[in-house]
Each structure stands twice: as C-alpha cells, then as structure tokens.
Amino acid sequence: MKNTIATRRKQRKLSQAELAQLTAVTRQTINTIENNKYDPSLSLAFKLAAILETTVDALFSNGEDVKSVVLKGFFGLHFG
C-alpha cells in the first residue's frame, strides 16, 4: 500500500527515529512502512495520522477505498 508518510514526516521536520519514538515502534519499522515493504496495524496507522496531523485516508492509498482495506484487514475478506 503506497503512503505519504516520508513526505509528511519531512514537512514536520521529524526524523524517522523521532517518529518511531512518538509511535512506540523502531526506526526500522518506520523505514519499512515508508518504503512500502510493510503495512502498519490499524492502531499504528491511526497513531501516524494523528502525529502527522492528517487522516489515515490521506496517508495510505493503493487505489482502493480505505473502508475496503480496513474490512479486508479486520475480517480477512476479499472483494472481487
């Protein structure tokens, strides 16, 4: 899932380490999320959005409606 975390983090003059500390994860976790190698938990996505002063919708996109992504993750559903 593509995201705008790195751009928004840099706009707020935060390092990966600082954002990691604010979200209680490692810098490596922030790095892998920013590089689209790892999708964060819903809880972490909301923390990131709050710290970066935006919405989860604005942070993450893969061409799908965010509600569908949340439902898939929460219920393990697959929509055709």
Side-chain angles (χ1 to χ4, degrees):
M1 183 178 323
K2 295 183 181 185
N3 69 72
T4 60
I5 294 170
T7 301
R8 292 172 186 274
R9 174 181 57 76
K10 290 172 187 174
Q11 287 172 344
R12 282 157 187 76
K13 297 181 178 22
L14 290 170
S15 68
Q16 287 182 341
E18 290 167 328
L19 183 56
Q21 185 175 14
L22 291 169
T23 56
V25 298
T26 65
R27 184 201 57 78
Q28 291 83 357
T29 298
I30 297 298
N31 182 274
T32 57
I33 294 169
E34 287 184 353
N35 288 298
N36 302 308
K37 295 179 181 176
Y38 173 75
D39 291 335
S41 67
L42 192 55
S43 173
L44 179 53
F46 276 105
K47 284 181 189 178
L48 289 165
I51 291 164
L52 298 173
E53 300 176 4
T54 190
T55 64
V56 173
D57 293 19
L59 274 185
F60 300 95
S61 162
N62 68 352
E64 291 185 74
D65 175 79
V66 170
K67 290 179 186 173
S68 296
V69 172
V70 171
L71 288 174
K72 284 181 184 179
F74 187 74
F75 295 108
L77 301 176
H78 299 280
F79 300 102

